[in-house]
């Protein structure tokens, strides 16, 4: 018993009170992934170097209830920073034994919603005109967080569209600067096609070619960088409407499902999941048969026979 | 018993949200036992009287939109931004990539098939705003109903909540932006 408890203390963190084991070197995000615990994120993809830019994976690390050896209380970096009691990005913060992590709390989800609203208003995210709608992780994140509006004034920035490449489209209107394409190109494709230039509000995606255009870059249709975009900034041409709205990734899945990255990437390559009727999105339900005259009709109308609170005038 | 009074309008929209409202089909009969329509394209009443709920479709693209929205805000206890255009400008806001002059010249001077090219300049025409704007940038909006268009079920959900005196809470399964 004593031995078991000892094991737990040395490789266990607690996410919303749930014990999660980790291996040395894993981040909080890695450990959560392995345990099937969802921490919201946009710029993270298992297998690529963590970037920590979208800040959707913000979690709170509280002080631990049990006291440990002093060296455990500090993250093992060269600066030996004490992170207890701070908000950190889960994708870049190492898991340290005994961490008490708050993740799925109303306060954190409200902060995440505000971050998502800022991502929306800073770009031009006109979902009805975007062929990525339904396959877009940003949109799915907004659904997940219950975002109804952008809250802030719209920026309506003017951004450059690059349609020069024969098979890949680059629309910077929708770019959220997550650098997934940058990292995929560098780490998986071995090419360095993309980078972020500029700072703050002028930051933008640039293409590594003499003309700055995609057509003159090394990008090829089968590169991971051409498929990894979580929004509709990098699109494969001529395939945008092969799957109708209502049958797309996030019509069939929730963004919080673990292992969804594989589904998304598979979909990005044009191999779409075939939905069955049971998993179809709730917005396209099989309509109830119309009520016949008589009792059935009255019953169906009863949903509006409610205790209406009339306003006095 | 007095009925809940609702006004509706379409500003820089396509009336698609109003069509979706009508998609309630036979459920409209039950709804109309509890609500009456004031200013609305469905009643053809031209100005808004005191109302409980205002449903506004579309964003702001011209001065008339601004006047109408202010009239709604002044007269409606609860103002609801309906649909993508009302919430973030939507498809009409795609003209914000260009200057107003560029848009007018493309539409009325240089466009394909334009005859007798001239930019309309009648005093009866409301002036266009330099950019299309969502509603909440001009007036306070109490609630948002996203979608392009919001489904009939979404309308029923929010109106049902309000009729029962509850804070509207759109079920997540109904939430969509397309």
């Amino acid at each position: 018993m004593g031995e078991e408890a000892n094991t737990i203390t040395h490789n266990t963190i607690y996410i919303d009170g749930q014990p999660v084991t980790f291996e040395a070197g894993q981040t909080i995000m890695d450990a959560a992934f392995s345990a099937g615990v969802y921490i919201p994120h946009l710029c993270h993809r298992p297998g690529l170097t963590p970037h920590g830019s979208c800040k959707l994976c913000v979690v709170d690390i509280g002080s631990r209830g049990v006291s440990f050896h002093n060296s455990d209380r500090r993250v093992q970096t060269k600066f030996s920073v004490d992170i207890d009691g701070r908000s950190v990005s889960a994708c870049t913060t190492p898991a340290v034994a005994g961490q008490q992590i708050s993740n799925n709390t109303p306060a954190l989800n409200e902060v995440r919603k505000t971050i998502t609203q800022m991502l929306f208003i800073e770009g031009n995210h006109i979902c009805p005109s975007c062929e990525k709608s339904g396959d877009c992780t940003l949109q799915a994140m907004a659904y997940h967080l219950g975002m109804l509006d952008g809250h802030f004034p719209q920026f309506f920035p003017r951004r450059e569209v690059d349609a020069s490449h024969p098979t890949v489209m680059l629309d910077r209107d929708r770019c959220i600067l997550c650098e997934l394409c940058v990292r995929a190109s560098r780490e998986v494709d071995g090419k360095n096609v993309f980078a972020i230039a500029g700072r703050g509000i002028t930051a933008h995606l640039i293409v590594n070619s003499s003309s700055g255009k995609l057509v003159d870059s090394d990008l090829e249709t089968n590169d991971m960088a051409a498929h990894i975009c979580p929004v509709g900034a990098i699109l494969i041409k001529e395939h945008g409407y092969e799957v109708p709205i209502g049958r797309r990734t996030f019509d069939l899945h929730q963004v919080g499902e673990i292992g969804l990255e594989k589904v998304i990437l598979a979909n990005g390559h044009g191999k779409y999941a075939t939905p069955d009727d049971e998993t179809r999105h709730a917005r396209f339900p099989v309509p109830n048969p119309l009520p016949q005259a008589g009792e059935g009709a009255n019953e169906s109308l009863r949903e509006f026979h409610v205790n209406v609170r009339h306003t006095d005038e | 018993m007095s009925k809940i009074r609702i006004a509706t309008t379409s500003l820089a929209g396509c009336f698609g949200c109003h069509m979706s409202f009508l998609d309630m089909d036979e459920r409209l009969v039950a709804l109309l036992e509890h609500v009456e329509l004031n200013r609305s394209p469905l009643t053809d009443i031209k100005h808004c009287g005191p109302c409980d709920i205002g449903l506004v479709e579309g964003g702001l693209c011209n001065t008339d939109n601004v006047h109408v929205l202010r009239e709604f805000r002044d007269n409606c206890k609860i103002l609801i931004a309906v649909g993508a255009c009302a919430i973030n400008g939507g498809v009409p806001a795609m003209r914000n990539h260009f200057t107003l002059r560029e848009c007018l010249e493309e539409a009325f001077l240089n466009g394909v098939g334009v005859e007798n090219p001239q930019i309309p300049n009648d005093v009866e025409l409301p002036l266009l705003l330099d950019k299309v704007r969502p509603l909440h940038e001009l007036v306070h909006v109490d609630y948002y109903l996203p979608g392009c268009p919001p489904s009939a079920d979404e309308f029923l959900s929010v109106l049902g909540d309000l009729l029962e005196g509850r804070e509207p809470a759109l079920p997540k399964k109904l939430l969509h932006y397309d």
Side-chain angles (χ1 to χ4, degrees):
Chain A
M1 186 67 199
E3 193 180 306
E4 199 180 314
N6 198 37
T7 317
I8 288 172
T9 55
H10 279 91
N11 66 352
T12 305
I13 56 176
Y14 301 87
I15 302 180
D16 295 329
Q18 179 187 338
V20 169
T21 57
F22 68 94
E23 292 165 18
Q26 278 194 317
T27 60
I28 295 171
M29 180 72 84
D30 292 334
F33 256 115
S34 309
V37 174
Y38 177 65
I39 300 178
H41 59 275
L42 286 173
C43 75
H44 185 69
R45 180 67 56 93
L48 297 179
T49 308
H51 192 240
S53 60
C54 79
K55 294 292 179 271
L56 261 292
C57 70
V58 61
V59 292
D60 287 338
I61 300 183
S63 44
R64 290 162 293 176
V66 214
S67 90
F68 291 89
H69 189 271
N70 193 45
S71 61
D72 287 345
R73 294 184 56 244
R74 294 167 188 282
V75 179
Q76 303 299 312
T77 68
K78 60 180 177 177
F79 296 111
S80 196
V81 182
D82 188 342
I83 57 167
D84 278 5
R86 286 200 201 173
S87 299
V88 299
S89 51
C91 71
T92 56
T93 305
V96 175
Q99 278 168 334
Q100 296 283 351
I101 294 158
S102 299
N103 169 41
N104 187 19
T105 69
L108 279 170
N109 285 331
E110 196 62 28
V111 168
R112 290 169 180 147
K113 187 170 90 178
T114 303
I115 292 170
T116 308
Q117 286 172 321
M118 290 194 284
L119 288 173
F120 266 84
I121 62 100
E122 282 178 15
N124 295 307
H125 298 280
I126 312 291
C127 296
S129 77
C130 178
E131 63 184 71
K132 188 84 169 190
S133 191
D135 284 326
C136 171
T137 314
L138 177 67
Q139 187 189 55
M141 182 65 66
Y143 295 165
H144 175 74
L145 298 168
M147 185 185 111
L148 297 178
D149 68 311
H151 183 78
F152 302 101
Q154 291 279 339
F155 277 32
F156 294 126
R158 296 180 73 167
R159 295 190 186 159
E160 194 187 343
V161 174
D162 181 350
S164 63
H165 196 280
T167 58
V168 183
M169 178 87 181
L170 171 57
D171 186 345
R172 293 179 176 86
D173 284 325
R174 302 161 187 151
C175 179
I176 56 169
L177 305 173
C178 68
E179 288 205 15
L180 277 171
C181 60
V182 177
R183 286 173 281 156
S185 184
R186 187 169 58 217
E187 298 172 15
V188 179
D189 306 330
K191 288 189 179 176
N192 264 324
V193 170
F194 296 106
I196 302 291
R199 298 180 72 83
I201 201 62
T202 66
H204 60 287
L205 190 65
I206 56 168
V207 174
N208 182 11
S209 69
S210 53
S211 62
K213 296 288 184 191
L214 265 186
V215 69
D216 297 321
S217 75
D218 298 334
L219 188 71
E220 290 171 281
T221 318
N222 291 327
D223 288 353
M224 192 188 204
H227 296 268
I228 202 169
C229 185
V231 293
I234 301 174
L235 296 165
I236 306 298
K237 289 182 179 177
E238 297 177 19
H239 293 279
Y241 293 99
E242 282 173 354
V243 178
I245 301 278
R247 288 175 170 268
R248 298 185 171 191
T249 307
F250 295 110
D251 296 322
L252 309 174
H253 298 274
Q254 300 293 312
V255 73
E257 292 171 26
I258 300 296
L260 201 55
E261 279 76 10
K262 291 189 184 74
V263 178
I264 295 168
L265 206 57
N267 288 1
H269 282 92
K271 288 175 282 186
Y272 288 87
T274 315
D276 53 54
D277 287 340
E278 284 176 356
T279 55
R280 286 195 65 189
H281 195 275
R283 57 186 281 219
F284 295 107
V286 179
N288 292 321
L290 287 178
Q292 303 300 311
E295 279 192 0
N298 288 338
E299 200 166 80
S300 81
L301 299 183
R302 200 164 292 148
E303 61 185 280
F304 270 103
H305 287 243
V306 289
N307 299 321
V308 180
R309 196 172 68 184
H310 288 279
T311 46
D312 297 317
E313 301 203 3
Chain B
M1 271 209 312
S2 65
K3 290 181 174 181
I4 295 288
R5 200 172 291 157
I6 295 180
T8 78
T9 190
S10 180
L11 305 179
C14 69
F15 282 92
C17 298
H18 276 78
M19 298 306 293
S20 191
F21 180 85
L22 295 177
D23 271 346
M24 279 188 245
D25 296 333
E26 82 282 2
R27 292 173 292 185
L28 278 169
V29 177
L31 180 66
L32 287 170
E33 288 178 18
H34 298 288
V35 308
E36 62 179 3
L37 288 173
N38 193 261
R39 175 180 174 154
S40 168
L42 308 172
T43 59
D44 213 21
I45 296 172
K46 301 299 185 193
H47 285 284
C48 198
C51 286
D52 299 297
I53 302 170
L55 300 172
V56 183
E57 166 192 344
L60 303 159
C61 79
N62 64 32
T63 49
D64 182 60
N65 295 159
V66 172
H67 287 299
V68 173
L69 180 59
R70 289 206 166 116
E71 181 181 302
F72 266 69
R73 180 68 279 179
D74 290 343
N75 284 284
C76 300
K77 290 175 187 165
I78 297 169
L79 193 69
I80 304 177
V82 176
C85 306
I87 292 170
N88 68 7
V91 170
M94 293 176 78
R95 83 154 154 93
N96 294 350
H97 292 333
F98 308 96
T99 64
L100 184 54
R101 174 163 296 279
E102 284 171 331
C103 294
L104 290 170
E105 288 176 352
E106 179 65 23
F108 296 107
L109 300 183
N110 308 324
V112 177
V114 172
E115 287 184 28
N116 185 21
Q118 55 179 311
I119 291 175
N121 194 27
D122 195 291
V123 288
E124 292 276 320
L125 293 173
L127 291 172
L128 294 173
L129 306 182
D130 67 332
K131 283 200 190 314
V132 178
R133 290 283 173 187
L135 305 186
H136 73 274
E137 294 188 20
L138 182 73
V139 299
H140 175 73
V141 173
D142 298 296
Y143 200 68
Y144 298 87
L145 204 51
C148 186
S151 62
D153 285 345
E154 278 184 76
F155 279 103
L156 279 169
S157 170
V158 68
L159 291 177
D161 281 346
L162 288 170
L163 285 170
E164 294 187 37
R166 288 195 303 260
E167 178 84 12
L170 196 65
K172 276 192 182 170
K173 64 173 185 175
L174 292 180
L175 179 57
H176 65 99
Y177 302 154
D178 52 19

